[in-house]
Amino acid sequence: QVQLQESGPGLVKPSGTLSLTCAVSSGSISSSNWWSWVRQAPGKGLEWIGQIYQSGGPNYSPSLKSRVTISVDKSENQLSLNLSSVTAADTAIYYCARNWGKGFDLWGQGTMVIVSS
Amino acid sequence: QSALTQPASVSGSPGQSITISCTGTTSDVGGYNFVSWYQQHPGKAPKLMIYDVSNRPSGVSDRFSGSKSGNTASLTISGLQAEDEADYYCSSYTNTISYVFGTGTKVTVL
């Protein structure tokens, strides 16, 4: 069955750029129309970051739009997240998820990113 | 986009039914039949329990049901079991081609 695995640096300096990838295994990233990134600050709720169609065309959270870039690499069967100008408020567990209709039916295990100098 | 409003906590005894509310606006919950619900156990990724207001994915117990009235959606758990103790989040599609999650509800089985 399809699995998602997030990866990337666990520590990012303030004002830097957070870069994560989500590898899709046992299936093709082209098999689903949309893929999303969601984050969860320690002890807090879920926050949707953005989504991308399997052939491009992202949509972003209005509150993060100026700092977020989501892309798809079909050859690598993965999606990526870049979040610029990070602050401590961006410290969170970052999840990638598969959109299913207007919900998210498959999630990665998540990767913790801490923003600190 | 403000987070949807959920009660911080709901509790019930085994076998009882509980209902979690999720209140939004006409720009999200009230404007679309695209509300979903997620169960999250500590240290785990969220799990989809309900999509499109009232539909259950394959494999989810029929003790979980969803509904919506106006700007408020609800998740009902019937026959409460110890394994249902978790955090629950609602989510809605919005009029800005985005999604918003609820504030989260901690369910405690007494």
Short mmCIF file of all heavy atoms in Angstrom, two decimals, chain B residues 59-99:
data_model
loop_
_atom_site.label_atom_id
_atom_site.label_comp_id
_atom_site.label_asym_id
_atom_site.label_seq_id
_atom_site.Cartn_x
_atom_site.Cartn_y
_atom_site.Cartn_z
N GLY B 59 -13.09 0.76 6.48
CA GLY B 59 -12.32 0.36 7.64
C GLY B 59 -12.60 1.15 8.91
O GLY B 59 -12.17 0.75 9.99
N VAL B 60 -13.32 2.26 8.79
CA VAL B 60 -13.67 3.05 9.98
C VAL B 60 -14.97 2.51 10.57
O VAL B 60 -15.94 2.28 9.85
CB VAL B 60 -13.82 4.54 9.62
CG1 VAL B 60 -14.38 5.33 10.81
CG2 VAL B 60 -12.47 5.11 9.20
N SER B 61 -14.97 2.34 11.86
CA SER B 61 -16.12 1.77 12.55
C SER B 61 -17.38 2.61 12.31
O SER B 61 -17.34 3.85 12.27
CB SER B 61 -15.84 1.71 14.05
OG SER B 61 -16.99 1.37 14.77
N ASP B 62 -18.53 1.91 12.20
CA ASP B 62 -19.80 2.62 12.01
C ASP B 62 -20.29 3.26 13.31
O ASP B 62 -21.38 3.85 13.36
CB ASP B 62 -20.86 1.69 11.43
CG ASP B 62 -21.15 0.48 12.30
OD1 ASP B 62 -20.59 0.40 13.41
OD2 ASP B 62 -21.94 -0.38 11.88
N ARG B 63 -19.48 3.18 14.37
CA ARG B 63 -19.81 3.91 15.60
C ARG B 63 -19.53 5.41 15.43
O ARG B 63 -19.98 6.21 16.25
CB ARG B 63 -18.97 3.36 16.75
CG ARG B 63 -19.23 1.91 17.10
CD ARG B 63 -18.49 1.47 18.36
NE ARG B 63 -17.03 1.55 18.22
CZ ARG B 63 -16.30 2.49 18.77
NH1 ARG B 63 -16.85 3.46 19.51
NH2 ARG B 63 -14.97 2.50 18.61
N PHE B 64 -18.81 5.74 14.37
CA PHE B 64 -18.49 7.14 14.08
C PHE B 64 -19.45 7.64 12.99
O PHE B 64 -19.59 7.01 11.94
CB PHE B 64 -17.05 7.29 13.61
CG PHE B 64 -16.03 7.00 14.68
CD1 PHE B 64 -15.64 5.70 14.94
CD2 PHE B 64 -15.49 8.03 15.43
CE1 PHE B 64 -14.71 5.42 15.94
CE2 PHE B 64 -14.56 7.77 16.43
CZ PHE B 64 -14.18 6.46 16.69
N SER B 65 -20.09 8.77 13.27
CA SER B 65 -20.99 9.35 12.28
C SER B 65 -20.87 10.86 12.30
O SER B 65 -20.50 11.46 13.32
CB SER B 65 -22.43 8.93 12.55
OG SER B 65 -22.85 9.39 13.82
N GLY B 66 -21.16 11.47 11.16
CA GLY B 66 -21.05 12.92 11.04
C GLY B 66 -22.31 13.54 10.49
O GLY B 66 -23.08 12.89 9.78
N SER B 67 -22.50 14.81 10.81
CA SER B 67 -23.66 15.55 10.32
C SER B 67 -23.31 17.03 10.27
O SER B 67 -22.25 17.45 10.74
CB SER B 67 -24.88 15.31 11.20
OG SER B 67 -24.62 15.80 12.53
N LYS B 68 -24.23 17.82 9.70
CA LYS B 68 -24.01 19.25 9.62
C LYS B 68 -25.34 19.98 9.61
O LYS B 68 -26.31 19.51 8.99
CB LYS B 68 -23.23 19.60 8.34
CG LYS B 68 -22.71 21.04 8.30
CD LYS B 68 -22.12 21.38 6.94
CE LYS B 68 -23.20 21.88 6.00
NZ LYS B 68 -22.64 22.54 4.78
N SER B 69 -25.37 21.12 10.29
CA SER B 69 -26.53 21.99 10.25
C SER B 69 -26.04 23.43 10.23
O SER B 69 -25.38 23.88 11.19
CB SER B 69 -27.44 21.76 11.48
OG SER B 69 -28.53 22.65 11.46
N GLY B 70 -26.31 24.11 9.15
CA GLY B 70 -25.85 25.48 9.03
C GLY B 70 -24.34 25.56 9.07
O GLY B 70 -23.64 24.88 8.32
N ASN B 71 -23.81 26.38 9.97
CA ASN B 71 -22.37 26.57 10.07
C ASN B 71 -21.69 25.63 11.06
O ASN B 71 -20.51 25.80 11.36
CB ASN B 71 -22.06 28.02 10.48
CG ASN B 71 -22.47 29.03 9.43
OD1 ASN B 71 -22.62 28.70 8.25
ND2 ASN B 71 -22.67 30.27 9.84
N THR B 72 -22.44 24.67 11.58
CA THR B 72 -21.90 23.75 12.58
C THR B 72 -21.98 22.30 12.12
O THR B 72 -23.05 21.82 11.75
CB THR B 72 -22.64 23.90 13.92
OG1 THR B 72 -22.45 25.24 14.42
CG2 THR B 72 -22.10 22.93 14.95
N ALA B 73 -20.83 21.64 12.16
CA ALA B 73 -20.76 20.21 11.88
C ALA B 73 -20.59 19.46 13.19
O ALA B 73 -20.14 20.04 14.19
CB ALA B 73 -19.59 19.92 10.94
N SER B 74 -20.93 18.20 13.18
CA SER B 74 -20.83 17.40 14.41
C SER B 74 -20.31 16.01 14.11
O SER B 74 -20.62 15.43 13.05
CB SER B 74 -22.21 17.29 15.08
OG SER B 74 -22.70 18.55 15.46
N LEU B 75 -19.54 15.49 15.04
CA LEU B 75 -19.07 14.11 15.00
C LEU B 75 -19.65 13.41 16.21
O LEU B 75 -19.49 13.89 17.34
CB LEU B 75 -17.56 14.04 15.05
CG LEU B 75 -16.95 12.63 15.18
CD1 LEU B 75 -17.13 11.87 13.86
CD2 LEU B 75 -15.47 12.70 15.56
N THR B 76 -20.33 12.29 15.99
CA THR B 76 -20.89 11.51 17.09
C THR B 76 -20.17 10.18 17.17
O THR B 76 -19.97 9.51 16.15
CB THR B 76 -22.39 11.27 16.90
OG1 THR B 76 -23.07 12.54 16.94
CG2 THR B 76 -22.94 10.39 18.02
N ILE B 77 -19.75 9.83 18.36
CA ILE B 77 -19.15 8.52 18.61
C ILE B 77 -20.13 7.76 19.49
O ILE B 77 -20.42 8.17 20.62
CB ILE B 77 -17.78 8.63 19.31
CG1 ILE B 77 -16.86 9.59 18.56
CG2 ILE B 77 -17.14 7.25 19.40
CD1 ILE B 77 -15.53 9.84 19.26
N SER B 78 -20.64 6.66 18.96
CA SER B 78 -21.58 5.83 19.70
C SER B 78 -20.85 4.65 20.31
O SER B 78 -19.82 4.21 19.81
CB SER B 78 -22.68 5.32 18.77
OG SER B 78 -23.31 6.40 18.10
N GLY B 79 -21.40 4.13 21.40
CA GLY B 79 -20.78 2.96 22.04
C GLY B 79 -19.32 3.23 22.37
O GLY B 79 -18.44 2.45 22.02
N LEU B 80 -19.08 4.32 23.06
CA LEU B 80 -17.72 4.78 23.35
C LEU B 80 -16.84 3.65 23.91
O LEU B 80 -17.27 2.87 24.78
CB LEU B 80 -17.79 5.94 24.35
CG LEU B 80 -16.58 6.85 24.48
CD1 LEU B 80 -16.28 7.56 23.17
CD2 LEU B 80 -16.83 7.87 25.59
N GLN B 81 -15.62 3.56 23.37
CA GLN B 81 -14.68 2.54 23.80
C GLN B 81 -13.38 3.20 24.25
O GLN B 81 -13.06 4.32 23.83
CB GLN B 81 -14.40 1.55 22.67
CG GLN B 81 -15.63 0.79 22.20
CD GLN B 81 -15.33 -0.18 21.07
OE1 GLN B 81 -14.19 -0.31 20.62
NE2 GLN B 81 -16.36 -0.88 20.60
N ALA B 82 -12.61 2.49 25.03
CA ALA B 82 -11.35 3.03 25.56
C ALA B 82 -10.43 3.49 24.43
O ALA B 82 -9.73 4.50 24.55
CB ALA B 82 -10.66 1.99 26.42
N GLU B 83 -10.44 2.77 23.33
CA GLU B 83 -9.56 3.09 22.20
C GLU B 83 -9.97 4.39 21.49
O GLU B 83 -9.21 4.90 20.67
CB GLU B 83 -9.59 1.95 21.18
CG GLU B 83 -10.92 1.75 20.48
CD GLU B 83 -11.14 0.34 20.01
OE1 GLU B 83 -10.95 -0.59 20.81
OE2 GLU B 83 -11.52 0.17 18.83
N ASP B 84 -11.15 4.90 21.80
CA ASP B 84 -11.59 6.15 21.18
C ASP B 84 -10.97 7.37 21.86
O ASP B 84 -11.11 8.49 21.36
CB ASP B 84 -13.11 6.28 21.25
CG ASP B 84 -13.82 5.14 20.54
OD1 ASP B 84 -13.24 4.59 19.58
OD2 ASP B 84 -14.95 4.79 20.95
N GLU B 85 -10.31 7.16 22.97
CA GLU B 85 -9.68 8.27 23.68
C GLU B 85 -8.54 8.81 22.83
O GLU B 85 -7.57 8.11 22.53
CB GLU B 85 -9.16 7.82 25.05
CG GLU B 85 -8.63 8.96 25.90
CD GLU B 85 -8.55 8.62 27.37
OE1 GLU B 85 -9.60 8.42 28.00
OE2 GLU B 85 -7.40 8.56 27.88
N ALA B 86 -8.68 10.07 22.40
CA ALA B 86 -7.75 10.68 21.46
C ALA B 86 -8.15 12.14 21.26
O ALA B 86 -9.14 12.60 21.83
CB ALA B 86 -7.78 9.95 20.12
N ASP B 87 -7.37 12.83 20.45
CA ASP B 87 -7.75 14.16 20.01
C ASP B 87 -8.48 14.05 18.68
O ASP B 87 -8.12 13.22 17.84
CB ASP B 87 -6.51 15.05 19.84
CG ASP B 87 -5.81 15.35 21.15
OD1 ASP B 87 -6.50 15.47 22.18
OD2 ASP B 87 -4.57 15.46 21.15
N TYR B 88 -9.48 14.90 18.51
CA TYR B 88 -10.26 14.90 17.27
C TYR B 88 -10.27 16.30 16.67
O TYR B 88 -10.45 17.29 17.37
CB TYR B 88 -11.70 14.44 17.54
CG TYR B 88 -11.77 12.97 17.89
CD1 TYR B 88 -11.51 12.54 19.19
CD2 TYR B 88 -12.07 12.01 16.93
CE1 TYR B 88 -11.55 11.19 19.52
CE2 TYR B 88 -12.11 10.67 17.24
CZ TYR B 88 -11.85 10.26 18.53
OH TYR B 88 -11.88 8.92 18.85
N TYR B 89 -10.06 16.35 15.36
CA TYR B 89 -10.04 17.61 14.64
C TYR B 89 -11.02 17.56 13.47
O TYR B 89 -11.09 16.56 12.75
CB TYR B 89 -8.65 17.90 14.08
CG TYR B 89 -7.59 18.12 15.12
CD1 TYR B 89 -6.82 17.08 15.60
CD2 TYR B 89 -7.35 19.40 15.62
CE1 TYR B 89 -5.85 17.28 16.56
CE2 TYR B 89 -6.37 19.63 16.57
CZ TYR B 89 -5.62 18.56 17.05
OH TYR B 89 -4.67 18.77 18.00
N CYS B 90 -11.75 18.65 13.29
CA CYS B 90 -12.55 18.79 12.08
C CYS B 90 -11.76 19.62 11.08
O CYS B 90 -10.77 20.28 11.43
CB CYS B 90 -13.89 19.45 12.37
SG CYS B 90 -13.79 21.13 13.05
N SER B 91 -12.18 19.56 9.84
CA SER B 91 -11.56 20.35 8.79
C SER B 91 -12.62 20.69 7.77
O SER B 91 -13.56 19.92 7.55
CB SER B 91 -10.42 19.57 8.12
OG SER B 91 -9.90 20.30 7.02
N SER B 92 -12.49 21.84 7.14
CA SER B 92 -13.43 22.23 6.10
C SER B 92 -12.71 22.87 4.93
O SER B 92 -11.71 23.58 5.11
CB SER B 92 -14.48 23.21 6.65
OG SER B 92 -15.33 23.66 5.62
N TYR B 93 -13.23 22.62 3.77
CA TYR B 93 -12.79 23.35 2.58
C TYR B 93 -13.33 24.77 2.70
O TYR B 93 -14.36 24.99 3.35
CB TYR B 93 -13.36 22.68 1.33
CG TYR B 93 -12.92 23.28 0.03
CD1 TYR B 93 -11.63 23.11 -0.43
CD2 TYR B 93 -13.81 24.00 -0.76
CE1 TYR B 93 -11.22 23.64 -1.65
CE2 TYR B 93 -13.41 24.54 -1.97
CZ TYR B 93 -12.12 24.37 -2.41
OH TYR B 93 -11.73 24.91 -3.60
N THR B 94 -12.63 25.75 2.10
CA THR B 94 -13.07 27.14 2.25
C THR B 94 -13.21 27.85 0.90
O THR B 94 -12.79 27.33 -0.12
CB THR B 94 -12.09 27.95 3.11
OG1 THR B 94 -11.00 28.40 2.29
CG2 THR B 94 -11.53 27.14 4.27
N ASN B 95 -13.75 29.03 0.95
CA ASN B 95 -13.98 29.80 -0.28
C ASN B 95 -12.71 30.46 -0.82
O ASN B 95 -12.77 31.19 -1.81
CB ASN B 95 -15.07 30.86 -0.06
CG ASN B 95 -14.66 31.91 0.95
OD1 ASN B 95 -13.63 31.80 1.60
ND2 ASN B 95 -15.48 32.95 1.08
N THR B 96 -11.57 30.22 -0.21
CA THR B 96 -10.30 30.72 -0.72
C THR B 96 -9.45 29.58 -1.29
O THR B 96 -8.22 29.68 -1.37
CB THR B 96 -9.50 31.46 0.38
OG1 THR B 96 -9.32 30.58 1.50
CG2 THR B 96 -10.24 32.70 0.83
N ILE B 97 -10.10 28.50 -1.68
CA ILE B 97 -9.43 27.31 -2.24
C ILE B 97 -8.36 26.84 -1.26
O ILE B 97 -7.18 26.68 -1.60
CB ILE B 97 -8.83 27.57 -3.63
CG1 ILE B 97 -9.80 28.35 -4.51
CG2 ILE B 97 -8.50 26.25 -4.31
CD1 ILE B 97 -9.27 28.70 -5.88
N SER B 98 -8.76 26.70 -0.03
CA SER B 98 -7.86 26.25 1.03
C SER B 98 -8.65 25.43 2.03
O SER B 98 -9.84 25.21 1.86
CB SER B 98 -7.21 27.46 1.72
OG SER B 98 -8.19 28.26 2.36
N TYR B 99 -7.98 24.98 3.05
CA TYR B 99 -8.61 24.20 4.10
C TYR B 99 -8.31 24.84 5.45
O TYR B 99 -7.26 25.47 5.64
CB TYR B 99 -8.07 22.76 4.11
CG TYR B 99 -8.44 21.97 2.88
CD1 TYR B 99 -7.66 22.04 1.73
CD2 TYR B 99 -9.57 21.16 2.85
CE1 TYR B 99 -8.00 21.34 0.58
CE2 TYR B 99 -9.92 20.45 1.72
CZ TYR B 99 -9.14 20.54 0.59
OH TYR B 99 -9.48 19.85 -0.55
#
